[in-house]
Amino acid sequence: MNLLTTIRERFRHSIEQLAGTADEYLALIRPAQDAKFGDYQANFAMSLKRVVGRAPRAIAAQLVADVNLSDLCETVEVAGPGFINMRLKDELIAQLLRDAVGSERLGIAPVANPKTYVVDFSSPNVAKPMHVGHIRSTVIGDCLSRVLRFVGHRVITDNHLGDWGTQFGMIIYGYKHFCNPTDYQNNPVGELSRLYKLVRSLIDYHDALQELPKLEKASEQLGHTIAQFKQQVVSTDKVQAKQQQKELQAAQSKATELNETLASCREKIARIQNDAKMFELARQHAEINESVLRETAALHAG
């Protein structure tokens, strides 16, 4: 027996007599959030007020008088402005527990309208070692899948390992040019992870070098725009004044975002240039790229 469904169905006829429809109001019968109010609580009387045109407490009292829950509930009471509190009978709870223990499904019936769910698991980055976070999301995903299948839904599970082309390309590039043979022999996964992170840092560094002048120019232009906005005489027309203020705020917001991007770009550059070893690797990386570009151009020309 599904107690919540059963209780809702017991109220259906009485609510339909008052409102003509019941489903949206029956959904307001829920497990009580505080045990001192009982096991279930119905809050639909307040919503029915606009349909019936009577005080919620009077509506609740009428519904309690109409519904028969004597076989399920020890008490069914109206509280506050119109809440209906229901406390289950102890012997009913005991019987349901006995039935659940003897049931293969623990007394849980399959859903009436099965749906299809897609559960995405940890989706680890194939270019990095796995960590405890992957265990957590995998366990959660497996739990959800089992529960959904148990109640009758169709479940499609997926552990997406996409976007692997770039990662493997970076690892191959790092292995070819920057690999430490001894470290690779002793700990291949650890060394490949180091190479991935190294190449990522070098790429970010050279990208930042290219972007920095553009960002600085954009920041300077935006600064001039904001200064011009501030020098404008505020219009006496309220609508126009509001628009001017809106444009200024938008420019200032954009400037804040741009400055954050600019700071991040400078930080990436400084991180490499302040480390002599990394700066040398960045120089080698640039030479390798130039060599590849020349070879590619020569192939196309030939």
Side-chain angles (χ1 to χ4, degrees):
M1 174 190 292
N2 186 312
L3 279 172
L4 182 56
T5 300
T6 301
I7 291 172
R8 285 174 173 172
E9 288 305 311
R10 296 282 182 91
F11 276 99
R12 178 178 293 278
H13 178 71
S14 298
I15 293 177
E16 287 178 343
Q17 290 293 103
L18 288 174
T21 182
D23 286 340
E24 66 175 294
Y25 303 107
L26 293 175
L28 298 175
I29 303 176
R30 298 166 181 163
Q33 295 183 348
D34 192 329
K36 70 181 181 182
F37 298 124
D39 298 296
Y40 292 96
Q41 189 174 66
N43 302 336
F44 46 60
M46 280 70 79
S47 299
L48 284 167
K49 176 185 176 181
R50 66 177 184 272
V51 178
V52 181
R54 292 164 52 197
R57 189 175 177 87
I59 297 172
Q62 178 183 337
L63 291 171
V64 168
D66 290 344
V67 73
N68 180 13
L69 296 173
S70 59
D71 58 328
L72 304 178
C73 297
E74 191 71 43
T75 59
V76 181
E77 300 173 335
V78 178
F83 300 113
I84 300 175
N85 296 330
M86 291 159 276
R87 190 176 300 278
L88 298 173
K89 287 185 173 182
D90 291 343
E91 57 267 29
L92 173 67
I93 297 174
Q95 183 59 50
L96 290 174
L97 289 173
R98 286 192 292 268
D99 293 343
V101 170
S103 168
E104 291 184 357
R105 295 189 55 81
L106 302 177
I108 300 173
V111 294
N113 300 305
K115 298 180 180 179
T116 298
Y117 290 89
V118 177
V119 179
D120 188 11
F121 283 80
S122 51
S123 301
N125 185 330
V126 293
K128 296 180 180 179
M130 294 182 70
H131 54 78
V132 69
H134 296 107
I135 297 175
R136 180 178 61 247
S137 60
T138 299
V139 170
I140 292 171
D142 184 58
C143 178
L144 290 172
S145 300
R146 289 170 180 264
V147 171
L148 290 168
R149 286 194 178 108
F150 180 77
V151 297
H153 296 296
R154 175 173 178 257
V155 180
I156 300 171
T157 55
D158 180 44
N159 206 16
H160 180 62
L161 301 178
D163 302 330
W164 50 266
T166 300
Q167 285 96 327
F168 273 112
M170 291 164 63
I171 287 178
I172 293 169
Y173 176 84
Y175 177 83
K176 182 177 180 180
H177 298 289
F178 304 115
C179 181
N180 183 315
T182 302
D183 290 345
Y184 180 74
Q185 185 68 30
N186 294 332
N187 183 11
V189 174
E191 175 62 5
L192 292 178
S193 178
R194 182 191 72 83
L195 292 171
Y196 174 82
K197 295 175 184 177
L198 170 65
V199 175
R200 178 76 270 168
S201 296
L202 296 178
I203 292 173
D204 288 345
Y205 168 69
H206 286 287
D207 286 347
L209 285 178
Q210 292 182 350
E211 287 297 315
L212 183 61
K214 302 175 186 176
L215 292 172
E216 289 176 335
K217 183 177 180 180
S219 178
E220 182 181 356
Q221 291 175 342
L222 193 54
H224 290 320
T225 299
I226 292 173
Q228 291 174 357
F229 274 131
K230 291 181 177 179
Q231 291 174 358
Q232 288 179 352
V233 177
V234 178
S235 174
T236 55
D237 181 83
K238 291 184 178 180
V239 175
Q240 188 174 355
K242 185 176 181 180
Q243 180 62 29
Q244 289 176 340
Q245 184 63 26
K246 185 177 180 180
E247 291 175 355
L248 174 59
Q249 291 176 348
Q252 290 174 328
S253 177
K254 186 176 180 181
T256 299
E257 294 178 6
L258 183 58
N259 288 334
E260 290 175 354
T261 304
L262 188 56
S264 175
C265 184
R266 287 169 175 162
E267 192 274 333
K268 290 176 182 177
I269 294 173
R271 189 186 307 137
I272 299 297
Q273 293 184 346
N274 292 337
D275 185 323
K277 184 177 179 180
M278 287 295 294
F279 189 56
E280 172 59 22
L281 291 175
R283 185 191 64 77
Q284 294 177 24
H285 175 64
E287 289 181 353
I288 293 168
N289 284 346
E290 290 176 4
S291 175
V292 170
L293 289 173
R294 286 195 298 269
E295 291 176 3
T296 303
L299 287 173
H300 284 295

